[in-house]
Each structure stands twice: as C-alpha cells, then as structure tokens.
Amino acid sequence: ALQQNDFATVRAKVKEARTLAQKVYVKDQGKADELLGKIYLKQEKYNQALPYFIKAKEKVVEEFKTFNRHPKIAKKIFNIAHVCQLKGQWEKALQQYHEALEMVSYGFAQQAIGTNPPIDSIYAKLQGLEALKGKAESHFELFRLNGSEEHLQQAEATFQLALALIPSIRGEYLNETSKEVLSTKVLPLYEGAIQVAIERYRRSGQQKYLTQAFAYTESNKAILLLESINEISAQKIGGIPDSLLSTEKQLSLDIAY
C-alpha cells in the first residue's frame, strides 16, 4: 500500500505532467486532472479530489465541444457523482447521474430529474447502465433520509429500467472475461431492486412486491451460480484437484445460505 510520502511524490509528478500538458493537448490536461483526483480520492480527501474531477470533465467537454453529448463526458461525470455519494450528498449525486444519462441518450436533454429516457434511446449502454444504477441508488438513499414515496417510486422505476437494459448489453459482450465484468455490475442492481421491492411491500402490504422481490432474488442467485461455474472452470485449468473444489463449493453454499 502507498504511504503518505508516496502519495505526495506521485501528486508532485502528476502536477508536473499537468503543467507540461497545458502546453500541448487539452485531453492530456484532463487525464492529469483525473489522476490527481483519484489520488486524493484514494486518500479519502474528497474536498481536494472534487475540483480535479470537475476540471477533468471540463476538459473533455471542451475536447468534444462539437457534440452535445458523448460517453467520455459521462465517464468523467461518474467521478464527480461518486465523490458526492461518498460525502452523503445524494441530491447532488442524483443530479450528476441524471446528467450522465443525458450524455448517453438520444433526445433526452434538459428533462426533469425524475424522468428516464426510453430504453431504445440509450446508445452507450454500459455507461447508461452505470448512470441508471447511480440514479436508482440516489433515489433510494433520499427515500431513506426523508421517507419520500416519490423517491421510492423513482428508485423502483429506475432499477427496473436498468435491469431491462442488461440483455442488450450481454449480447454485445461475447468473451467470458467481459461477461464476468458485466456480472459484477449487474449484481448490485438486483440487490438494490430487491431492497426497493421489499420496502414497497412494507409500505403497501401488496403481495405483488413480495413476488417481485422473490423473482429478483432468483435472478441474483442465477448470476452468482454462473460466476461460480466460471470460477471452477478457471480453477480446473489451474490444476486444482476436484476434491478441493468440491470442499470449496460446499463452504460457499454454507456461507450463501
């Protein structure tokens, strides 16, 4: 792990590179700003990280000023939104994720923050999935803070849209490594959707929400099973004996249930 002195050294080197980049390319300035932001983020210095992430976003906006939107802008917005989440600033995080969603959707600009684009209009689907996940989580956290039924309903709708987007993304990810990466992004969506469905049941007593939570749970288990199969396949290639794999599987089942 990096020590405090190491972080200081890295920051100094990156700042030096940023100064040089100012004389060359805008995009290189943005990369240096983003790296500095991530260094501060790693140290949990959120107030210092945020200005650099904002600068990084501004540089990418300038780089793609011919366009009104671009997935690369959305990626920089995610950094800002993540800091807002870590600071517990859920309203600001919600605004950032909504803006990121506008960057990756056709015909979805300057829309009310409680709305989402039609699923077919999301052209950069992986970034769209990340933005929807962030929006849904922010809505749910705001519901937890103030008990707003509107935020709970919007969390539900946004999780549902994100889950509906998954099949089209999975079709684009053909190799196993990419599918595993996608699985790690999908699991938190199911977990969030389950929490929302259970809360809806608690507040309304309607059986349909309990049924929905159960359906999400089954889908979540299926993804976990697929991950386990992929892991076992990798371990077999590594020459791990079947007896040890069997023991590990049983222990995993004990932990899961």
Side-chain angles (χ1 to χ4, degrees):
L2 286 172
Q3 301 299 314
Q4 193 67 29
N5 289 342
D6 296 325
F7 279 118
T9 301
V10 173
R11 283 203 306 269
K13 293 292 183 184
V14 174
K15 286 180 178 179
E16 182 181 346
R18 185 182 184 279
T19 301
L20 291 173
Q22 287 177 333
K23 303 175 183 178
V24 193
Y25 298 115
V26 168
K27 65 180 180 180
D28 290 333
Q29 295 174 34
K31 287 177 181 178
D33 285 326
E34 184 175 18
L35 183 53
L36 282 166
K38 287 181 176 179
I39 292 169
Y40 281 117
L41 188 64
K42 187 74 174 176
Q43 296 178 282
E44 299 182 359
K45 295 181 177 180
Y46 306 134
N47 290 333
Q48 288 96 322
L50 189 57
Y52 285 106
F53 285 143
I54 292 172
K55 287 178 184 178
K57 174 200 167 185
E58 290 170 350
K59 295 296 188 300
V60 174
V61 169
E62 186 178 347
E63 183 183 353
F64 294 99
K65 58 188 174 184
T66 307
F67 310 96
N68 291 326
R69 63 197 70 240
H70 198 280
K72 288 188 177 180
I73 300 175
K75 289 181 180 179
K76 305 309 175 190
I77 295 172
F78 291 151
N79 290 328
I80 299 169
H82 183 49
V83 172
C84 293
Q85 284 181 312
L86 291 170
K87 294 178 71 176
Q89 298 175 337
W90 293 104
E91 287 281 4
K92 290 182 179 179
L94 179 59
Q95 291 167 2
Q96 293 297 324
Y97 282 119
H98 184 76
E99 183 182 350
L101 195 55
E102 290 180 339
M103 292 297 108
V104 295
S105 305
Y106 293 119
F108 186 69
Q110 297 181 334
Q111 300 295 316
I113 203 162
T115 62
N116 289 317
I119 193 168
D120 293 338
S121 72
I122 302 174
Y123 67 89
K125 293 181 173 61
L126 199 58
Q127 287 76 35
L129 189 70
E130 184 72 20
L132 288 168
K133 173 178 171 290
K135 274 196 73 174
E137 290 173 345
S138 298
H139 276 304
F140 191 56
E141 290 300 327
L142 286 166
F143 158 73
R144 282 176 161 171
L145 286 171
N146 58 33
S148 165
E149 186 72 22
E150 183 180 359
H151 277 303
L152 183 59
Q153 291 174 0
Q154 289 172 351
E156 179 186 24
T158 306
F159 272 126
Q160 287 176 348
L161 181 59
L163 292 172
L165 189 62
I166 291 167
S168 61
I169 300 175
R170 189 171 280 131
E172 296 174 3
Y173 280 67
L174 301 178
N175 66 71
E176 290 305 314
T177 301
S178 295
K179 287 180 179 178
E180 287 175 21
V181 170
L182 179 59
S183 291
T184 63
K185 294 180 179 294
V186 168
L187 283 171
L189 286 171
Y190 277 107
E191 290 166 359
I194 291 166
Q195 287 182 305
V196 170
I198 290 172
E199 195 59 50
R200 290 281 274 164
Y201 172 72
R202 284 175 180 163
R203 293 173 74 86
S204 69
Q206 295 183 46
Q207 186 66 29
K208 66 177 183 179
Y209 294 118
L210 205 56
T211 302
Q212 191 177 62
F214 179 77
Y216 288 146
T217 301
E218 291 302 303
S219 297
N220 199 33
K221 285 181 181 178
I223 293 171
L224 287 169
L225 178 61
L226 181 60
E227 284 189 340
S228 296
I229 291 170
N230 290 335
E231 185 178 352
I232 287 171
S233 298
Q235 288 172 331
K236 278 185 176 292
I237 293 171
I240 298 174
D242 289 343
S243 59
L244 288 179
L245 291 176
S246 179
T247 301
E248 183 195 24
K249 181 178 180 182
Q250 186 57 52
L251 288 172
S252 297
L253 287 171
D254 290 343
I255 292 169
Y257 298 99

